[in-house]
Amino acid sequence: MKQSFAIIGLGRFGASVCTTLVETGQEVLAIDRDEDRVNEYMDIATHAVVANAEDEMALRSLGLRNFDHVIIAIGEDIQASILVTLMAKEMGVKRVTAKAQNLYHAKVLEKVGADHVVHPERDMGERVAHHLISKNILDYLELSEEYSIAEIRIENHKFVDRTLLELNLRQRFGLNVVAIKREGVKLIVSPSADEMVRLNDTLFVIGETVDVERFDEIMN
Ligand code: ATP
């Protein structure tokens, strides 16, 4: 279903979110106080406007509260990012995603009501690091402080040509396999216990981060 998004701040992060949303057919209002940035996105976003988001009247006249989702992608000006997040929630925006510069910034954004806080540099750094230190982990996403989801390639012959039931990852590692990616086959979502794991399959596993790491170590 088509949703409406407003993005405040067209730095690298905001611009990338904007372009991707438009490519997937969503309606996007792009807002930035910098006229050059707005001109750059005039033909990409559904609408692009020059406005200072710290000006509450400006946000109200843009009808910010009517958007399904507002993304606050202001980076360096932490004070502005916090204030705009607070105003968006006070106006009644249902879903506000805000970009944090650091841990303290993230905490404050959560306190003032952001529904989702992203920390792109840190998150991407973690994902790249996991990919670098393990030849099996293709991608990795921390879901919370304790839980992760990881894409793990199966190259260890001990895990090949055996069913999920035989591998028993839930009992042995506390991991659930949510999907299997296999070359030339449609993604196998929620595989059944009798699904056979093949060489070079990619398993999407979810579980405690320590267990994901333990599983990865055993496969190395
Ligand atoms: P990125 O890492 O995504 O490139 P950044 O973290 O360096 O961005 P900034 O460049 O500080 O973040 O801000 C992103 C954009 O937000 C800029 O284009 C800036 O003009 C815009 N911006 C900052 N404050 C406001 C504001 N109060 N109202 C509207 N736009 C703003």
Side-chain angles (χ1 to χ4, degrees), residues 4-6 8 27 29 31 49 51 55-70 87-88 91-94:
S4 59
F5 293 85
I8 300 174
E27 203 173 290
L29 167 69
I31 304 166
V49 244
D55 176 354
E56 193 171 349
M57 286 311 289
L59 292 186
R60 285 194 188 278
S61 64
L62 288 168
L64 202 74
R65 62 187 294 267
N66 301 319
F67 284 83
D68 297 319
H69 204 141
V70 172
M87 289 194 300
M91 278 175 207
V93 176
K94 277 200 203 76

Side-chain angles (χ1 to χ4, degrees), residues 127-146:
R127 289 170 76 167
V128 170
H130 276 90
H131 183 48
L132 290 175
I133 57 178
S134 161
K135 67 180 176 64
N136 305 308
I137 295 188
L138 304 182
D139 205 351
Y140 168 93
L141 194 63
E142 217 168 71
L143 300 173
S144 69
E145 272 181 23
E146 288 158 9

Side-chain angles (χ1 to χ4, degrees), residues 17-105:
V17 173
C18 173
T19 310
T20 310
L21 286 173
V22 171
E23 278 170 3
T24 61
Q26 311 300 326
E27 203 173 290
V28 180
L29 167 69
I31 304 166
D32 202 295
R33 65 181 172 194
D34 180 332
E35 198 175 340
D36 292 339
R37 293 263 166 102
V38 172
N39 285 338
E40 236 180 280
Y41 285 85
M42 203 67 103
D43 297 331
I44 296 169
T46 321
H47 303 284
V49 244
V50 182
N52 180 356
E54 286 176 273
D55 176 354
E56 193 171 349
M57 286 311 289
L59 292 186
R60 285 194 188 278
S61 64
L62 288 168
L64 202 74
R65 62 187 294 267
N66 301 319
F67 284 83
D68 297 319
H69 204 141
V70 172
I71 296 107
I72 294 157
I74 298 172
E76 272 161 40
D77 191 345
I78 291 180
Q79 192 177 313
S81 140
I82 293 165
L83 177 66
V84 177
T85 303
L86 181 68
M87 289 194 300
K89 282 314 287 183
E90 277 184 353
M91 278 175 207
V93 176
K94 277 200 203 76
R95 279 198 62 76
V96 171
T97 292
K99 175 186 136 150
Q101 289 288 83
N102 56 52
L103 211 60
Y104 299 109
H105 186 193

Side-chain angles (χ1 to χ4, degrees), residues 7 14 21 26 30 41 73 83 122 152 156 162-163 172 205:
I7 300 176
L21 286 173
Q26 311 300 326
Y41 285 85
L83 177 66
R122 186 202 59 187
I152 301 189
N156 182 326
R162 298 179 65 188
T163 64
R172 288 166 68 198
V205 298

